[in-house]
C-alpha cells in the first residue's frame, strides 16, 4: 500500500533512536527516502552512514593494532 514507505520511515526512526550508531539503519532509511522521492533526506542519511562506518572502521583498526 502507499502507506508502507511512510510506516517504514517511522519504524526506522524508532530504531535509530534506540541504536543511533548503526550505519545499516541509516542506509535502510535512505533507500526508503529514495522510494518516497526525498533525495535530500536520503543523501543526509547516506552521509551519516558513511561517517558512522568510517568511525567504526577506525575504531576496529585501532583496536587490532593495539593487540
Amino acid at each position: 500500500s502507499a502507506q508502507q514507505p511512510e510506516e517504514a520511515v517511522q519504524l526506522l526512526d524508532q530504531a535509530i533512536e534506540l541504536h543511533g550508531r548503526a550505519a545499516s539503519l541509516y542506509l535502510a532509511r535512505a533507500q526508503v527516502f529514495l522510494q518516497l522521492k526525498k533525495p535530500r533526506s536520503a543523501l543526509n542519511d547516506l552521509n551519516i552512514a558513511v561517517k558512522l562506518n568510517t568511525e567504526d572502521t577506525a575504531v576496529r583498526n585501532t583496536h587490532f593494532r593495539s593487540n
Side-chain angles (χ1 to χ4, degrees):
S1 83
Q3 288 294 100
Q4 286 178 333
E6 287 85 357
E7 291 172 12
V9 169
Q10 290 175 352
L11 291 172
L12 287 162
D13 287 346
Q14 293 172 10
I16 287 168
E17 282 183 36
L18 295 172
H19 309 284
R21 299 198 51 82
S24 61
L25 294 173
Y26 287 96
L27 289 173
R29 192 170 66 176
Q31 289 180 317
V32 177
F33 280 140
L34 288 175
Q35 289 178 354
L36 292 170
K37 303 200 182 327
K38 296 182 177 181
R40 288 183 188 205
S41 296
L43 184 58
N44 184 54
D45 275 5
L46 289 172
N47 285 330
I48 293 169
V50 168
K51 183 176 187 292
L52 289 172
N53 197 40
T54 301
E55 289 173 359
D56 289 347
T57 300
V59 168
R60 281 196 301 272
N61 289 342
T62 301
H63 175 74
F64 289 130
R65 273 197 301 264
S66 66
N67 288 335

